[in-house]
Amino acid sequence: MPKKVLIVARREIRKNKLINWVSEVYLQILGEYGVIPIIVPIAESTIQNLEVYTQDYDGLLMVEGGDVNPKRYNETYNEQKLEERDDIKDSIEFACCKHAITNNKPVLGICRGMHIINTMFGGTLHLDVHDANNNSVLHVHYEAYDTHRHHITIIENTPLFTWYKQTNLDVTTYHHQGIKKLGEHLIPMAISDDKLIEAIYHPHYSFVVGLQFHPERMYTEHRGNARVFESFIKSL
């Protein structure tokens, strides 16, 4: 039987109507490896039916999206600092992540997904990394988007080093939140030049990995990008 991976959708208003969507690149990558993506929709009714989705799945892929509500890590905040907040998405995605971790299911979190993993283990987030680093490193370029790159240093003897086999890498990122306090037992795997943590993993689970950068957006540029997904899929 093919493996099944949950992906919580993203929600936005288009032509005055709420729509759900997932970037096709994730669906394509999973499909190429024979994995069936199960898209979990964002709707209030999903919350009451969530146990149906978590009855039969093999792993969880959490991808980019809006900001994690700072209430999740007991932080005071200014509403104007938040972008694309969706409390229903938070409820659904955190519930899925808790279920996966509790049942030792593989979890791969990219961008916002890494923020959720960090928060799940008691960590906190910067509301805006550019306020925190005085714009010393640009983590999001709204015009350049996929073509923007910044440097990270990969830490040796980590899964990330095993995948990329080098300590220096230029990556594409698109975020303004970032790890402030690292969650309990999480281990950093990469650091940007402003000391922001760019990748994490949990050593006590079969596969719990978070990446701040986007391997799917530079998939053909380095063999390590494919190895990220291959390792996740192999652990299912």
Side-chain angles (χ1 to χ4, degrees):
M1 290 291 291
K3 299 293 186 178
K4 301 173 186 175
V5 167
L6 299 183
I7 306 177
V8 178
R10 191 171 179 178
R11 185 168 67 163
E12 67 179 34
I13 296 176
R14 187 170 298 174
K15 295 184 178 180
N16 299 317
K17 293 181 176 62
L18 282 169
I19 64 166
N20 274 231
W21 60 281
V22 172
S23 293
E24 186 175 320
V25 62
Y26 301 109
L27 310 180
Q28 179 67 27
I29 291 171
L30 292 175
E32 287 176 356
Y33 287 95
V35 176
I36 306 301
I38 307 297
I39 300 175
V40 182
I42 303 175
E44 289 191 20
S45 59
T46 300
I47 297 174
Q48 64 194 48
N49 296 316
L50 200 54
E51 63 180 23
V52 177
Y53 290 93
T54 56
Q55 281 177 355
D56 181 21
Y57 75 106
D58 300 288
L60 174 66
L61 174 59
M62 298 187 296
V63 297
E64 74 272 12
D67 289 349
V68 174
N69 192 323
K71 290 180 180 178
R72 293 277 173 178
Y73 46 92
N74 300 315
E75 189 100 352
T76 58
Y77 64 96
N78 181 344
E79 289 276 359
Q80 294 179 344
K81 287 288 186 183
L82 301 180
E83 297 180 1
E84 196 188 320
R85 196 189 83 194
D86 190 329
D87 290 336
I88 295 179
K89 178 175 172 65
D90 277 357
S91 296
I92 294 169
E93 207 153 28
F94 271 88
C96 287
C97 188
K98 181 178 180 181
H99 187 277
I101 290 171
T102 300
N103 292 277
N104 201 21
K105 306 260 189 187
V107 178
L108 174 58
I110 296 172
C111 196
R112 167 189 160 92
M114 186 182 80
H115 300 162
I116 293 175
I117 291 171
N118 189 60
T119 303
M120 285 289 300
F121 288 100
T124 64
L125 304 175
H126 292 291
L127 289 178
D128 193 320
V129 294
H130 299 115
D131 285 346
N133 73 2
N134 293 315
N135 291 302
S136 59
V137 173
L138 187 62
H139 289 276
V140 55
H141 192 306
Y142 291 100
E143 287 74 34
Y145 199 62
D146 284 355
T147 59
H148 173 65
R149 299 286 187 275
H150 73 76
H151 174 262
I152 65 171
T153 300
I154 297 176
I155 299 170
E156 295 188 38
N157 300 315
T158 64
L160 198 67
F161 183 80
T162 299
W163 299 329
Y164 287 88
K165 304 185 186 305
Q166 63 191 64
T167 55
N168 294 293
L169 188 67
D170 289 332
V171 297
T172 179
T173 61
Y174 195 83
H175 67 101
H176 79 105
Q177 288 190 315
I179 290 178
K180 183 177 181 181
K181 184 187 81 173
L182 187 63
E184 188 175 7
H185 301 304
L186 293 173
I187 296 177
M189 297 196 291
I191 307 291
S192 61
D193 292 346
D194 60 358
K195 308 304 180 185
L196 187 74
I197 295 172
E198 293 278 344
I200 57 175
Y201 80 103
H202 200 303
H204 301 157
Y205 293 90
S206 61
F207 191 101
V208 174
V209 167
L211 304 180
Q212 184 66 84
F213 62 95
H214 288 266
E216 81 289 349
R217 293 185 186 173
M218 47 186 200
Y219 195 68
T220 61
E221 295 176 20
H222 194 293
R223 182 70 180 89
N225 296 314
R227 290 192 189 107
V228 170
F229 291 97
E230 288 170 0
S231 297
F232 170 62
I233 290 167
K234 186 176 180 181
S235 69
L236 297 174

